[in-house]
Amino acid sequence: MVARTDVTSKSDVDSLVTNTLDEYGQIDILVNNAGICKAPLYLLEIEEEEWDRTNEVNAKGVYLVTKAVAPHMIAARHGKIVNMASVGGKEGYAGFCHYNASKFAVLGFTQAIAKELAEYDINVNAVCPGIV
């Protein structure tokens, strides 16, 4: 199944999850892989719209999709969630502060929900690739 989805839109995400469940009956694994990065942009060059868009896609998208899928994994008492973070979520780099902030958020979110969902046998991790 292929579904064009805006991960920053709750209604798009809810439709994606509903359609996936209708087609497959369950969701065993979620890979949050949507991300953007317009860089290098230094602090004084970043417009508010660019800051917001980067954080909406990279951080809010992970939150929205995970929140939509989690109840189904909790009910099934199993699942795997993999969030794409970045080495930029572990160390800040000049020209990437907006991107770094979004990926630091993904790592914090991942650590928190890993603890919240562990009791349901849901495994949550992040991958932190370098420049690809």
Side-chain angles (χ1 to χ4, degrees):
M1 181 181 100
V2 175
R4 184 180 179 108
T5 304
D6 178 354
V7 296
T8 70
S9 165
K10 185 179 181 316
S11 62
D12 268 22
V13 168
D14 289 344
S15 292
L16 172 68
V17 172
T18 298
N19 293 339
T20 301
L21 290 168
D22 288 347
E23 176 120 0
Y24 299 105
Q26 64 187 37
I27 298 174
D28 297 312
I29 186 166
L30 166 63
V31 178
N32 283 304
N33 192 43
I36 61 171
C37 178
K38 184 177 178 183
L41 287 175
Y42 296 89
L43 174 63
L44 300 180
E45 300 170 327
I46 299 170
E47 298 295 331
E48 182 177 358
E49 295 79 19
E50 183 64 31
W51 176 275
D52 289 345
R53 183 72 180 145
T54 300
N55 281 279
E56 284 178 0
V57 172
N58 295 357
K60 181 181 178 184
V62 171
Y63 153 74
L64 285 175
V65 180
T66 302
K67 186 174 180 184
V69 168
H72 306 285
M73 289 183 173
I74 289 169
R77 297 199 61 81
H78 78 274
K80 308 276 188 223
I81 299 172
V82 179
N83 296 325
M84 293 303 292
S86 168
V87 295
K90 294 179 160 207
E91 179 180 349
Y93 297 98
F96 291 84
C97 67
H98 57 315
Y99 178 78
N100 293 140
S102 71
K103 294 303 184 172
F104 269 81
V106 169
L107 289 178
F109 179 79
T110 300
Q111 291 172 9
I113 65 166
K115 293 172 182 166
E116 290 181 26
L117 299 177
E119 69 181 279
Y120 305 103
D121 293 325
I122 300 169
N123 181 268
V124 184
N125 285 289
V127 178
C128 297
I131 295 173
V132 293

